[in-house]
Amino acid sequence: MSTRLKQVLIITVAAAIALGMVFLGLWQMQVFVDEGARSVEQRAAQPAEVLDDHLASDDELGELYGKQVVVEGTYLPDHQILVPTDGAYRVLGAIEIADGRTLPIVRGLTADPAAIAAPPTGVRSETGIFLPGEGNVLNDQGVHVDVPAGQLPSVRMPALAQEWPEQLVPGFVTLGEADAAAHGLDAASVALPTGEGSAQNSGYALQWWVFAVFGMGMAIKLAHGLGVRDRKAKEAALLENHRKDVTA
């Protein structure tokens, strides 16, 4: 077998093995992503926790992100903002909770802003998913989306703080289906926080890719070494033939 054919064979086999390792890494990474998604869904499906029990610090409140909470308080009737969402509007209201702060709360979703009922009066107990503030909404050109007065493009806490003067809780609640129906609204969709899968799976994915790169590097080095040895052997043969010709 010629040296060139050996080199081609080595590189071909190494490339096939490396490609398999790349796919194994992608599969392992997908496992990582799927586990993260499952952990987020499982977190949201846990029994609701009482928000008042976590008001001692913002760090404690942060541990509730993505979980169901039960909140008690009184709706502030003059606090209502519409958040355009997929051709409809999320109805964003506010509740004054036990520590005096204002908690933004998505009461539900409607396609007809004129049909929104006033928030209920008196002390209310509501259940929903507690979430951190949302990010900016950008158009296709990467420019912030403009909305009419009385609306916000997203539930972004700094923007909301400019609308409502009270001290805000660092997060907001989106009511579940039953509670939203009690307000005469449909349930608004929830974008759960990104979850983290098993660090072991992500490590395995990285290992497969490292092995693929290392394997290809070794194959290239081996093929190059064969070429160098073949060239040196040919040069030595030429020198030997030349020496014989000179001494003949």
Side-chain angles (χ1 to χ4, degrees), residues 53-180:
D53 295 342
H54 299 269
L55 294 178
S57 70
D58 288 350
D59 288 339
E60 279 195 49
L61 284 173
E63 294 176 0
L64 292 179
Y65 291 148
K67 290 186 175 182
Q68 292 189 83
V69 297
V70 176
V71 55
E72 286 193 354
T74 304
Y75 276 97
L76 302 174
D78 56 344
H79 288 48
Q80 179 169 287
I81 294 175
L82 299 179
V83 182
T85 305
D86 297 329
Y89 299 90
R90 283 185 286 170
V91 182
L92 181 64
I95 279 183
E96 184 179 343
I97 59 176
D99 67 356
R101 284 186 289 178
T102 297
L103 172 69
I105 186 163
V106 176
R107 296 168 56 200
L109 187 74
T110 183
D112 182 10
I116 300 172
T121 59
V123 177
R124 296 279 299 184
S125 177
E126 305 277 36
T127 302
I129 299 290
F130 186 59
L131 298 166
E134 298 172 341
N136 290 320
V137 177
L138 306 178
N139 60 23
D140 294 339
Q141 287 73 43
V143 179
H144 291 183
V145 172
D146 290 327
V147 293
Q151 297 183 17
L152 285 176
S154 65
V155 188
R156 185 169 176 267
M157 304 309 294
L160 199 53
Q162 297 178 21
E163 300 288 334
W164 296 339
E166 300 87 358
Q167 183 180 2
L168 300 179
V169 174
F172 70 100
V173 169
T174 297
L175 296 184
E177 186 173 354
D179 292 77

